[in-house]
Amino acid sequence: MIVVMEPGASKEEVQHMVDRVEELGLKSHVIVGTEQTVIAAIGEKREHTKEALESGPGVSKVLPILAPYKVASREVKPELTCVKVGSLQVGAGKLGVIAGPCSVEGEEQIISTAKAVRAAGATALRGGAFKPRTSPYSFQGMKEEGLKLLAAAREETGLAVVTEIMSTDDVDLVAEYSDVLQIGARNMQNYRLLEAVGNTDRAVLLKRGASATMDELLLAAEYILNEGNPNVMLCERGIRTFESHTRFTLPLASVPYLRQKTHLPVVIDPSHGTGHTYLVPDMAAAAVAAGADGLIVEVHPTPETAMSDGYQSMTFPQFEAMMVKCRKVANALDIEM
Ligand code: PEP
Ligand code: MN
């Protein structure tokens, strides 16, 4: 249920209602809006709870939350969320661009990429140090050494660092070096991992599982939010379909759909979504046109020699051209980029 407070409700009244919600055996999430404060009361529905809360001081109304996800829903928080981490701002009218290699491969590779993408207008650096590879014989990432190189690239360029975390065992280590913890498609429903990142103070980029529904994605986000971490970005990175001309099928309708259902920012990954470098710039521009809050793309100094995902990675000039194109779309639609 959502306890909607009167516009002028006092702090004491809000606290009183939080206490009441908890006395009733429910978990409370206070969302302070510009107009009104609401308290999401989450837990199993019992008889007379609505009536018990409705008569509280400063309460305007008590409404049921219809969506299966609660804290992630726009019913609970109509105002859009902007996730801000250092150089990166994503959501509520701010468009962030996260760019970098699929994997961190060495100092020269990551530093030169960070400098090039920053010069072209990227607002964060991506790079995997722990890589979830389909085959155990493929390059698995540089692990801690890769994290250190990412931190050095941040030092050099000021770009916030986005990197994947694959296991609850690595939470402290990855959080120490990075600004945004990426949960990859393969781990979207690793609920213990979602809870673990929900207990950090790092922002989270949650990628959609290749065969997950929108509701499953939003419920996965709910696991993170429910632990008290509000800084969650959703990422559409394409789903598996019968179609094989692209690596995955990238549904851009996810953007306006999610905008209606959730206040969380939506980031599009046209690199994994298409699997072909030549398709990335156009799909990035289309994502901006669809209202995406962010882009995450793969860029490599020499895609031909990349240790992972070279076939979908852009060169520096290709990334620069993509940014020029996306900016034109953003300008036409009055989007800040
Ligand atoms: C990646 O970002 O390199 C990656 C492995 O992505 P996904 O989890 O979407 O496959
Ligand atoms: Mn990749």
Side-chain angles (χ1 to χ4, degrees):
M1 264 164 301
I2 321 170
V3 180
V4 183
M5 301 302 288
E6 296 282 6
S10 68
K11 270 193 181 143
E12 291 72 28
E13 286 171 332
V14 172
Q15 188 54 49
H16 176 85
M17 291 315 295
V18 166
D19 294 341
R20 285 292 294 135
V21 163
E22 286 169 10
E23 274 163 29
L24 291 162
L26 301 167
K27 191 162 176 174
S28 65
H29 280 273
V30 180
I31 292 130
V32 182
T34 46
E35 309 263 305
Q36 276 174 316
T37 294
V38 305
I39 304 162
I42 295 158
E44 267 188 61
K45 205 174 152 193
R46 301 206 195 116
E47 250 189 286
H48 308 307
T49 309
K50 184 171 188 288
E51 291 73 12
L53 293 171
E54 239 160 17
S55 54
V59 174
S60 161
K61 58 193 168 195
V62 178
L63 304 168
I65 308 172
L66 300 175
Y69 38 89
K70 310 296 175 189
V71 190
S73 76
R74 272 196 99 168
E75 293 172 62
V76 168
K77 183 172 182 273
E79 276 166 46
L80 298 172
T81 294
C82 178
V83 174
K84 297 181 189 152
V85 219
S87 61
L88 180 67
Q89 291 193 50
V90 178
K94 300 267 192 248
L95 203 149
V97 180
I98 306 162
C102 179
S103 306
V104 179
E105 297 168 5
E107 185 172 352
E108 166 64 19
Q109 177 240 21
I110 195 68
I111 305 273
S112 66
T113 306
K115 285 182 178 165
V117 298
R118 190 194 55 181
T123 50
L125 175 69
R126 65 150 287 150
F130 290 89
K131 292 305 301 177
R133 305 304 303 277
T134 301
S135 162
Y137 308 118
S138 301
F139 175 58
Q140 302 286 312
M142 291 180 75
K143 313 221 164 75
E144 186 167 2
E145 205 187 327
L147 294 173
K148 287 184 179 160
L149 293 177
L150 284 166
R154 174 181 48 214
E155 191 70 26
E156 186 85 24
T157 60
L159 291 177
V161 162
V162 181
T163 197
E164 181 160 354
I165 174 157
M166 285 172 57
S167 161
T168 52
D169 296 343
D170 304 329
V171 172
D172 292 339
L173 179 69
V174 181
E176 183 187 336
Y177 293 103
S178 63
D179 303 289
V180 178
L181 303 172
Q182 174 176 327
I183 303 279
R186 293 156 185 83
N187 270 313
M188 188 204 84
Q189 286 179 312
N190 181 340
Y191 299 117
R192 296 297 83 80
L193 184 59
L194 298 175
E195 285 168 351
V197 299
N199 279 305
T200 69
D201 60 2
R202 292 287 181 262
V204 179
L205 180 78
L206 175 64
K207 293 189 123 191
R208 179 186 188 176
S211 53
T213 65
M214 288 277 112
D215 271 9
E216 286 166 341
L217 171 64
L218 287 160
L219 283 164
E222 190 78 8
Y223 268 87
I224 304 168
L225 298 167
N226 193 40
E227 295 300 319
N229 186 343
N231 294 313
V232 179
M233 296 169 261
L234 303 173
C235 179
E236 173 60 84
R237 44 78 76 209
I239 52 174
R240 184 153 281 178
T241 68
F242 58 83
E243 186 52 77
S244 59
H245 76 290
T246 48
R247 184 179 177 193
F248 292 94
T249 295
L250 183 63
L252 290 181
S254 299
V255 179
Y257 177 83
L258 287 168
R259 176 76 77 252
Q260 268 211 358
K261 302 290 176 189
T262 180
H263 52 88
L264 298 174
V266 182
V267 175
I268 293 290
D269 178 347
S271 303
H272 294 86
T274 63
H276 298 283
T277 306
Y278 79 98
L279 295 174
V280 174
D282 287 338
M283 292 310 282
V288 174
D293 302 296
L295 297 169
I296 180 167
V297 292
E298 290 182 336
V299 178
H300 195 284
T302 49
E304 259 190 295
T305 65
M307 295 177 82
S308 59
D309 289 356
Y311 47 81
Q312 65 190 32
S313 300
M314 288 176 281
T315 59
F316 300 161
Q318 284 170 328
F319 176 67
E320 208 182 315
M322 182 206 92
M323 290 296 280
V324 169
K325 189 173 206 151
C326 288
R327 252 188 231 108
K328 283 186 189 163
V329 176
N331 287 339
L333 294 172
D334 287 329
I335 297 164
E336 210 179 301
M337 185 177 165

